[in-house]
Amino acid sequence: MAGGWARDGAVQDQIDDTVSDAVSAARSRMPKGESAEYCDECGEGIPEKRRAALPGVRTCVECQSRRDGALRQSGINRRGSKDSQLR
């Protein structure tokens, strides 16, 4: 964290860089290349509009929703109280 002899705005620069790095990392994890015509998990057709909107997509909306739901239920308390974060 900036402090001491750091110039004005250095803290904001660090925040901006952190956000930019996170966005770059998220973009690098997005699918790339040619989209599949059929879902890799259930075999149903993937609509043309979904394939055009998300290049490299491999799953239908239903299967992707199930995947995302499983990720959200990871057991991590992201809404914990401040006290629980300090322990």
Side-chain angles (χ1 to χ4, degrees):
M1 190 118 221
W5 300 101
R7 64 174 182 72
D8 289 343
V11 172
Q12 186 61 48
D13 290 343
Q14 286 181 336
I15 293 168
D16 292 343
D17 289 343
T18 301
V19 170
S20 294
D21 290 346
V23 168
S24 296
R27 284 185 176 150
S28 72
R29 291 189 302 268
M30 289 182 70
K32 297 175 184 82
E34 192 172 334
S35 297
E37 288 188 37
Y38 298 95
C39 179
D40 286 351
E41 293 186 19
C42 70
E44 291 293 320
I46 300 173
E48 178 63 34
K49 288 186 178 185
R50 176 168 169 75
R51 290 185 280 141
L54 190 62
V57 71
R58 308 296 306 171
T59 56
C60 66
V61 174
E62 279 188 44
C63 290
Q64 188 63 49
S65 294
R66 274 196 300 275
R67 273 187 182 181
D68 293 346
L71 290 175
R72 273 187 247 124
Q73 297 172 1
S74 63
I76 297 172
N77 180 7
R78 297 182 191 277
R79 296 182 188 200
S81 69
K82 196 173 199 178
D83 291 338
S84 69
Q85 294 173 10
L86 295 174
R87 291 181 198 170

